[in-house]
Structure formats: structure tokens, C-alpha cells
Amino acid sequence: MRPVIIAGNWKLNGTIPETEVLIKGLLDGDSNNEAATVVVCPPYPSLSYAHQMVTGTHIALGAQDMSQHDKGAYTGEVSAEMLLTVGVRYVILGHSERRQHHAETDQLVNAKAKAALAAGLIPIICVGETLTEREAERTEEVVGGQLDGALAGLMTDQLRLSVLAYEPVWAIGTGKTATPEMAQAVHRFLRNRLAQNDPAAAEVVPILYGGSVKPGNAHELLSQPDIDGALVGGASLKAEDFVGIINAV
Ligand code: PGA
């Protein structure tokens, strides 16, 4: 019922020559699994080139962030419309690295989500707790608050078009993965929280897991009832590994 999405977050990697090699690797590799929606999220300068490469293929394009503004005096920013014109369909919002290094708040993530949806982009909204928060048994409080903040004021039809990603901060780029049971428990919590606002949204909104997903752990994670895909960082930079994750679906 819910689409299974495997999204690669390239972060600050992927010059145009690197983009060419990586996407060619995905197209040449066995990455066309009908059970999965495959999304790659290169950095802004490589999007247009990536779009040329993926047009007419099974691979969709995503961006890693965007501005909440449409236009104006916002040096360094990129709008939803600009992303649409280079073929972008998804946009990652509220990644923990944006929250940590760029002081992004739930309010800002909410404004970006509204701007993305108004423009016709699908937001992939990230939530996740730090190790300190998990050890203090505050995981549900933290991710629940992030979820409520990011989704505040969305119309039901917008909410139902959105994608969520649970990314425990302590598992990102560390090689530490949440166990499937730990991840499933948080995914279930998030789905129940969605259901409090809109039971239909809880049924249709995919919740991706992110944090050191690799070919070797993808199948077990993706087998959990409330894990509907993966947001993949490091392993999305090697075509063979990303293909391995896609084929774990
Ligand atoms: P990772 O990153 O797979 O390298 O842990 C995931 C992410 O930050 O989206």
C-alpha cells in the first residue's frame, strides 16, 4: 500500500564527473527493482546534469535542502521552483546535519515543508534523537516534538503526500545502526502520532529509516512492518552498495 523508497543522500559529494560515474553505475547495475522507488539526491550544482542522465529511467531526483522563500534577497539560497526546473521531485528537509550545523529549527523545517508542498515537491522530513537524548529515554519526546513541529498546519492532502525519515543522529555515518526492533519501535511511535491527527495519513505516509544502512543490514530493517524504505548516506556513494540496498527490497 505504501511505496518503498530507497533514497541516496550524497551530502557534500558528487562533482559532475563523480555524478556521471555514480549514476552510470546505478543504470548499468541491477538497480531497477519494481518494488522500490529509487531516488538520488546529489548536491545542487550536479542536479541538472543528473537530471539529463536519469530522464526516462527508473531513477527519480531529489535535493538535499531548499529555501522556505520563493525569491528575493537570500544569498546562497535555492527555491522550490528552481529545483522543479531541473527535474527535482523530492527534497530532504530537516536533516540532522542541517539542524546541527545550520541551526535549523522545527519552525524552519515546517516553513520549508509548506513551501515544498505548495510548489509540488515531495518533502522527505527527517527526525531523530541524539545519543544523549536516547540514553535519557527522551527519544519519543524528541522525535514526537520534531514531527509535530515539522507538520504543523499542513492540510490533510499535503500531509498524505509527505514522506518521513527516522534517522537516529547517533547512527548517521557512525557505522552504528539501530537494531531492526529499535527502529521499528520508533517508526510505530511516529505512525501512531500521525494517526492522532489523520488516520488516513498514517496509512499512506512512508517512513524511511536512515543511519548506516548497508546492503548487509537493509533486508532486516526493511522487513519491519513500519519501515517503508531507507535514506542512505555513505552507502549511496558506491553504486554497488546502493544497488545492494535497492535489491534488498
Ligand atoms: P549514513 O547517512 O547512511 O551515512 O549513516 C544517512 C543520512 O544521513 O541520511
Side-chain angles (χ1 to χ4, degrees), residues 7-11 92 95-97 126 165 167-176 209-214 230-237 245:
N9 173 11
W10 294 7
K11 308 191 181 183
I92 300 169
H95 190 282
S96 64
E97 288 154 13
C126 304
E167 298 206 305
V169 178
W170 49 271
I172 295 178
T174 57
K176 288 184 200 154
Y209 170 79
S212 300
V213 177
K214 302 178 205 69
L231 183 53
V232 186
S236 73
L237 296 173
I245 294 168

mmCIF file of all heavy atoms in Angstrom, residues 7-11 92 95-97 126 165 167-176 209-214 230-237 245, ligand 1:
data_model
loop_
_atom_site.group_PDB
_atom_site.id
_atom_site.type_symbol
_atom_site.label_atom_id
_atom_site.label_comp_id
_atom_site.label_asym_id
_atom_site.label_seq_id
_atom_site.Cartn_x
_atom_site.Cartn_y
_atom_site.Cartn_z
ATOM 1 N N ALA A 7 16.292 6.155 -0.968
ATOM 2 C CA ALA A 7 16.817 7.459 -1.373
ATOM 3 C C ALA A 7 18.284 7.575 -0.964
ATOM 4 O O ALA A 7 18.640 7.257 0.170
ATOM 5 C CB ALA A 7 15.992 8.580 -0.721
ATOM 6 N N GLY A 8 19.092 8.045 -1.897
ATOM 7 C CA GLY A 8 20.518 8.237 -1.623
ATOM 8 C C GLY A 8 20.803 9.709 -1.363
ATOM 9 O O GLY A 8 20.554 10.557 -2.234
ATOM 10 N N ASN A 9 21.283 10.000 -0.171
ATOM 11 C CA ASN A 9 21.653 11.370 0.207
ATOM 12 C C ASN A 9 23.161 11.497 0.048
ATOM 13 O O ASN A 9 23.925 11.007 0.880
ATOM 14 C CB ASN A 9 21.224 11.602 1.668
ATOM 15 C CG ASN A 9 21.702 12.931 2.216
ATOM 16 O OD1 ASN A 9 22.175 13.793 1.468
ATOM 17 N ND2 ASN A 9 21.584 13.103 3.529
ATOM 18 N N TRP A 10 23.562 12.148 -1.041
ATOM 19 C CA TRP A 10 25.000 12.214 -1.351
ATOM 20 C C TRP A 10 25.749 13.213 -0.472
ATOM 21 O O TRP A 10 26.974 13.234 -0.463
ATOM 22 C CB TRP A 10 25.206 12.582 -2.817
ATOM 23 C CG TRP A 10 24.742 11.548 -3.804
ATOM 24 C CD1 TRP A 10 24.035 10.391 -3.536
ATOM 25 C CD2 TRP A 10 24.959 11.564 -5.222
ATOM 26 N NE1 TRP A 10 23.800 9.706 -4.700
ATOM 27 C CE2 TRP A 10 24.347 10.399 -5.753
ATOM 28 C CE3 TRP A 10 25.593 12.443 -6.091
ATOM 29 C CZ2 TRP A 10 24.376 10.101 -7.112
ATOM 30 C CZ3 TRP A 10 25.608 12.150 -7.449
ATOM 31 C CH2 TRP A 10 25.014 10.989 -7.952
ATOM 32 N N LYS A 11 25.033 14.089 0.206
ATOM 33 C CA LYS A 11 25.646 15.121 1.056
ATOM 34 C C LYS A 11 26.639 15.962 0.228
ATOM 35 O O LYS A 11 26.378 16.234 -0.929
ATOM 36 C CB LYS A 11 26.282 14.480 2.288
ATOM 37 C CG LYS A 11 25.288 13.558 3.023
ATOM 38 C CD LYS A 11 25.746 13.107 4.364
ATOM 39 C CE LYS A 11 24.693 12.185 4.982
ATOM 40 N NZ LYS A 11 25.021 11.758 6.332
ATOM 41 N N ILE A 92 14.896 16.594 0.648
ATOM 42 C CA ILE A 92 15.155 16.235 2.049
ATOM 43 C C ILE A 92 15.072 17.518 2.881
ATOM 44 O O ILE A 92 15.681 18.532 2.518
ATOM 45 C CB ILE A 92 16.572 15.607 2.188
ATOM 46 C CG1 ILE A 92 16.700 14.337 1.336
ATOM 47 C CG2 ILE A 92 16.893 15.314 3.656
ATOM 48 C CD1 ILE A 92 18.139 13.815 1.223
ATOM 49 N N HIS A 95 17.257 17.546 7.802
ATOM 50 C CA HIS A 95 18.282 16.539 8.107
ATOM 51 C C HIS A 95 19.033 16.973 9.364
ATOM 52 O O HIS A 95 19.256 18.175 9.576
ATOM 53 C CB HIS A 95 19.239 16.402 6.914
ATOM 54 C CG HIS A 95 20.161 15.231 7.060
ATOM 55 N ND1 HIS A 95 21.269 15.272 7.871
ATOM 56 C CD2 HIS A 95 20.119 13.984 6.533
ATOM 57 C CE1 HIS A 95 21.875 14.087 7.819
ATOM 58 N NE2 HIS A 95 21.196 13.296 7.019
ATOM 59 N N SER A 96 19.464 16.029 10.158
ATOM 60 C CA SER A 96 20.116 16.394 11.434
ATOM 61 C C SER A 96 21.376 17.227 11.199
ATOM 62 O O SER A 96 21.747 18.046 12.038
ATOM 63 C CB SER A 96 20.446 15.145 12.247
ATOM 64 O OG SER A 96 21.387 14.352 11.567
ATOM 65 N N GLU A 97 22.028 17.031 10.037
ATOM 66 C CA GLU A 97 23.215 17.858 9.763
ATOM 67 C C GLU A 97 22.824 19.306 9.489
ATOM 68 O O GLU A 97 23.595 20.227 9.779
ATOM 69 C CB GLU A 97 24.012 17.233 8.602
ATOM 70 C CG GLU A 97 24.704 15.949 9.065
ATOM 71 C CD GLU A 97 24.984 14.930 7.976
ATOM 72 O OE1 GLU A 97 24.877 15.258 6.777
ATOM 73 O OE2 GLU A 97 25.293 13.777 8.336
ATOM 74 N N CYS A 126 13.014 14.792 7.985
ATOM 75 C CA CYS A 126 13.828 13.952 8.868
ATOM 76 C C CYS A 126 13.637 14.316 10.340
ATOM 77 O O CYS A 126 13.598 15.495 10.691
ATOM 78 C CB CYS A 126 15.312 14.124 8.542
ATOM 79 S SG CYS A 126 15.718 13.782 6.833
ATOM 80 N N ALA A 165 11.386 10.529 7.513
ATOM 81 C CA ALA A 165 12.566 9.674 7.701
ATOM 82 C C ALA A 165 12.967 9.729 9.165
ATOM 83 O O ALA A 165 13.142 10.823 9.722
ATOM 84 C CB ALA A 165 13.718 10.135 6.819
ATOM 85 N N GLU A 167 15.894 9.144 11.483
ATOM 86 C CA GLU A 167 17.346 9.000 11.416
ATOM 87 C C GLU A 167 17.952 9.289 12.790
ATOM 88 O O GLU A 167 18.216 10.464 13.113
ATOM 89 C CB GLU A 167 17.933 9.977 10.396
ATOM 90 C CG GLU A 167 17.451 9.740 8.987
ATOM 91 C CD GLU A 167 18.471 10.234 7.980
ATOM 92 O OE1 GLU A 167 18.867 11.408 8.035
ATOM 93 O OE2 GLU A 167 18.906 9.427 7.152
ATOM 94 N N PRO A 168 18.165 8.246 13.595
ATOM 95 C CA PRO A 168 18.810 8.493 14.889
ATOM 96 C C PRO A 168 20.188 9.116 14.655
ATOM 97 O O PRO A 168 20.995 8.576 13.893
ATOM 98 C CB PRO A 168 18.908 7.101 15.520
ATOM 99 C CG PRO A 168 18.621 6.113 14.438
ATOM 100 C CD PRO A 168 17.903 6.825 13.346
ATOM 101 N N VAL A 169 20.442 10.256 15.276
ATOM 102 C CA VAL A 169 21.663 11.014 14.990
ATOM 103 C C VAL A 169 22.908 10.173 15.285
ATOM 104 O O VAL A 169 23.904 10.232 14.565
ATOM 105 C CB VAL A 169 21.664 12.336 15.799
ATOM 106 C CG1 VAL A 169 22.940 13.120 15.569
ATOM 107 C CG2 VAL A 169 20.458 13.187 15.424
ATOM 108 N N TRP A 170 22.820 9.360 16.314
ATOM 109 C CA TRP A 170 23.968 8.534 16.733
ATOM 110 C C TRP A 170 24.269 7.420 15.731
ATOM 111 O O TRP A 170 25.317 6.783 15.813
ATOM 112 C CB TRP A 170 23.724 7.955 18.131
ATOM 113 C CG TRP A 170 22.366 7.315 18.275
ATOM 114 C CD1 TRP A 170 21.213 7.919 18.657
ATOM 115 C CD2 TRP A 170 22.035 5.956 18.004
ATOM 116 N NE1 TRP A 170 20.168 7.032 18.638
ATOM 117 C CE2 TRP A 170 20.646 5.816 18.243
ATOM 118 C CE3 TRP A 170 22.761 4.836 17.577
ATOM 119 C CZ2 TRP A 170 19.978 4.609 18.080
ATOM 120 C CZ3 TRP A 170 22.104 3.637 17.418
ATOM 121 C CH2 TRP A 170 20.722 3.529 17.662
ATOM 122 N N ALA A 171 23.374 7.186 14.784
ATOM 123 C CA ALA A 171 23.599 6.117 13.806
ATOM 124 C C ALA A 171 24.049 6.655 12.450
ATOM 125 O O ALA A 171 24.373 5.887 11.556
ATOM 126 C CB ALA A 171 22.326 5.290 13.634
ATOM 127 N N ILE A 172 24.071 7.989 12.301
ATOM 128 C CA ILE A 172 24.389 8.567 10.994
ATOM 129 C C ILE A 172 25.898 8.636 10.800
ATOM 130 O O ILE A 172 26.603 9.296 11.560
ATOM 131 C CB ILE A 172 23.770 9.973 10.846
ATOM 132 C CG1 ILE A 172 22.246 9.865 10.867
ATOM 133 C CG2 ILE A 172 24.242 10.647 9.557
ATOM 134 C CD1 ILE A 172 21.532 11.195 10.785
ATOM 135 N N GLY A 173 26.369 7.928 9.801
ATOM 136 C CA GLY A 173 27.782 7.973 9.446
ATOM 137 C C GLY A 173 28.703 7.368 10.492
ATOM 138 O O GLY A 173 29.917 7.545 10.441
ATOM 139 N N THR A 174 28.140 6.650 11.452
ATOM 140 C CA THR A 174 28.952 6.114 12.542
ATOM 141 C C THR A 174 29.207 4.625 12.403
ATOM 142 O O THR A 174 30.008 4.054 13.133
ATOM 143 C CB THR A 174 28.225 6.316 13.895
ATOM 144 O OG1 THR A 174 26.940 5.673 13.802
ATOM 145 C CG2 THR A 174 28.039 7.784 14.220
ATOM 146 N N GLY A 175 28.480 3.982 11.473
ATOM 147 C CA GLY A 175 28.566 2.528 11.371
ATOM 148 C C GLY A 175 27.689 1.831 12.400
ATOM 149 O O GLY A 175 27.529 0.611 12.371
ATOM 150 N N LYS A 176 27.122 2.600 13.320
ATOM 151 C CA LYS A 176 26.189 2.012 14.306
ATOM 152 C C LYS A 176 24.784 2.104 13.734
ATOM 153 O O LYS A 176 24.338 3.184 13.354
ATOM 154 C CB LYS A 176 26.193 2.824 15.602
ATOM 155 C CG LYS A 176 27.428 2.689 16.418
ATOM 156 C CD LYS A 176 27.239 3.476 17.724
ATOM 157 C CE LYS A 176 28.586 3.764 18.332
ATOM 158 N NZ LYS A 176 28.590 4.946 19.173
ATOM 159 N N TYR A 209 13.879 4.656 7.134
ATOM 160 C CA TYR A 209 14.903 4.617 8.184
ATOM 161 C C TYR A 209 16.223 5.082 7.589
ATOM 162 O O TYR A 209 16.560 4.721 6.446
ATOM 163 C CB TYR A 209 15.069 3.188 8.752
ATOM 164 C CG TYR A 209 16.285 3.125 9.639
ATOM 165 C CD1 TYR A 209 16.238 3.614 10.942
ATOM 166 C CD2 TYR A 209 17.523 2.680 9.139
ATOM 167 C CE1 TYR A 209 17.368 3.652 11.732
ATOM 168 C CE2 TYR A 209 18.658 2.712 9.933
ATOM 169 C CZ TYR A 209 18.584 3.197 11.223
ATOM 170 O OH TYR A 209 19.715 3.248 11.994
ATOM 171 N N GLY A 210 16.968 5.864 8.353
ATOM 172 C CA GLY A 210 18.302 6.269 7.909
ATOM 173 C C GLY A 210 19.295 6.182 9.053
ATOM 174 O O GLY A 210 18.951 6.455 10.211
ATOM 175 N N GLY A 211 20.520 5.830 8.726
ATOM 176 C CA GLY A 211 21.581 5.716 9.730
ATOM 177 C C GLY A 211 22.357 4.439 9.497
ATOM 178 O O GLY A 211 21.957 3.368 9.942
ATOM 179 N N SER A 212 23.458 4.561 8.714
ATOM 180 C CA SER A 212 24.348 3.434 8.450
ATOM 181 C C SER A 212 23.629 2.235 7.823
ATOM 182 O O SER A 212 23.929 1.087 8.161
ATOM 183 C CB SER A 212 25.098 3.028 9.722
ATOM 184 O OG SER A 212 25.882 4.115 10.198
ATOM 185 N N VAL A 213 22.701 2.517 6.914
ATOM 186 C CA VAL A 213 22.078 1.418 6.160
ATOM 187 C C VAL A 213 23.083 0.925 5.126
ATOM 188 O O VAL A 213 23.731 1.718 4.437
ATOM 189 C CB VAL A 213 20.777 1.869 5.456
ATOM 190 C CG1 VAL A 213 20.187 0.729 4.625
ATOM 191 C CG2 VAL A 213 19.766 2.369 6.477
ATOM 192 N N LYS A 214 23.219 -0.395 5.054
ATOM 193 C CA LYS A 214 24.171 -1.023 4.129
ATOM 194 C C LYS A 214 23.487 -2.222 3.485
ATOM 195 O O LYS A 214 22.435 -2.656 3.959
ATOM 196 C CB LYS A 214 25.395 -1.537 4.914
ATOM 197 C CG LYS A 214 26.131 -0.484 5.713
ATOM 198 C CD LYS A 214 27.283 -1.151 6.467
ATOM 199 C CE LYS A 214 27.686 -0.389 7.710
ATOM 200 N NZ LYS A 214 26.727 -0.403 8.793
ATOM 201 N N ALA A 230 14.536 3.422 2.906
ATOM 202 C CA ALA A 230 15.770 3.841 3.556
ATOM 203 C C ALA A 230 16.266 5.155 2.980
ATOM 204 O O ALA A 230 16.115 5.416 1.781
ATOM 205 C CB ALA A 230 16.842 2.765 3.379
ATOM 206 N N LEU A 231 16.822 5.977 3.868
ATOM 207 C CA LEU A 231 17.542 7.167 3.448
ATOM 208 C C LEU A 231 19.017 6.847 3.721
ATOM 209 O O LEU A 231 19.418 6.641 4.855
ATOM 210 C CB LEU A 231 17.074 8.391 4.244
ATOM 211 C CG LEU A 231 17.686 9.743 3.872
ATOM 212 C CD1 LEU A 231 17.559 10.053 2.394
ATOM 213 C CD2 LEU A 231 17.032 10.866 4.686
ATOM 214 N N VAL A 232 19.775 6.771 2.636
ATOM 215 C CA VAL A 232 21.114 6.183 2.693
ATOM 216 C C VAL A 232 22.163 7.250 2.419
ATOM 217 O O VAL A 232 22.091 7.926 1.392
ATOM 218 C CB VAL A 232 21.246 5.058 1.634
ATOM 219 C CG1 VAL A 232 22.580 4.349 1.779
ATOM 220 C CG2 VAL A 232 20.079 4.082 1.712
ATOM 221 N N GLY A 233 23.127 7.399 3.310
ATOM 222 C CA GLY A 233 24.208 8.350 3.099
ATOM 223 C C GLY A 233 25.408 7.655 2.473
ATOM 224 O O GLY A 233 25.470 7.438 1.257
ATOM 225 N N GLY A 234 26.357 7.274 3.303
ATOM 226 C CA GLY A 234 27.630 6.721 2.837
ATOM 227 C C GLY A 234 27.490 5.645 1.769
ATOM 228 O O GLY A 234 28.174 5.686 0.738
ATOM 229 N N ALA A 235 26.601 4.689 2.001
ATOM 230 C CA ALA A 235 26.485 3.559 1.068
ATOM 231 C C ALA A 235 25.830 3.951 -0.256
ATOM 232 O O ALA A 235 25.820 3.155 -1.188
ATOM 233 C CB ALA A 235 25.719 2.406 1.721
ATOM 234 N N SER A 236 25.294 5.192 -0.340
ATOM 235 C CA SER A 236 24.718 5.605 -1.632
ATOM 236 C C SER A 236 25.792 6.137 -2.568
ATOM 237 O O SER A 236 25.522 6.429 -3.731
ATOM 238 C CB SER A 236 23.626 6.664 -1.428
ATOM 239 O OG SER A 236 24.185 7.916 -1.081
ATOM 240 N N LEU A 237 27.017 6.265 -2.059
ATOM 241 C CA LEU A 237 28.107 6.804 -2.885
ATOM 242 C C LEU A 237 28.847 5.720 -3.654
ATOM 243 O O LEU A 237 29.736 6.008 -4.447
ATOM 244 C CB LEU A 237 29.092 7.581 -1.999
ATOM 245 C CG LEU A 237 28.499 8.822 -1.320
ATOM 246 C CD1 LEU A 237 29.501 9.424 -0.346
ATOM 247 C CD2 LEU A 237 28.073 9.862 -2.357
ATOM 248 N N ILE A 245 21.286 -2.360 -1.654
ATOM 249 C CA ILE A 245 20.196 -1.928 -0.773
ATOM 250 C C ILE A 245 18.871 -1.927 -1.545
ATOM 251 O O ILE A 245 17.847 -2.393 -1.033
ATOM 252 C CB ILE A 245 20.524 -0.544 -0.170
ATOM 253 C CG1 ILE A 245 21.735 -0.651 0.761
ATOM 254 C CG2 ILE A 245 19.311 0.028 0.570
ATOM 255 C CD1 ILE A 245 22.333 0.669 1.189
HETATM 256 P P1 PGA B 1 24.638 7.295 6.601
HETATM 257 O O1 PGA B 1 23.808 8.660 6.462
HETATM 258 O O2 PGA B 1 23.912 6.257 5.780
HETATM 259 O O3 PGA B 1 25.996 7.610 6.080
HETATM 260 O O4 PGA B 1 24.634 6.939 8.056
HETATM 261 C C1 PGA B 1 22.407 8.666 6.444
HETATM 262 C C2 PGA B 1 21.894 10.069 6.306
HETATM 263 O O5 PGA B 1 22.496 10.990 6.870
HETATM 264 O O6 PGA B 1 20.880 10.317 5.627
#
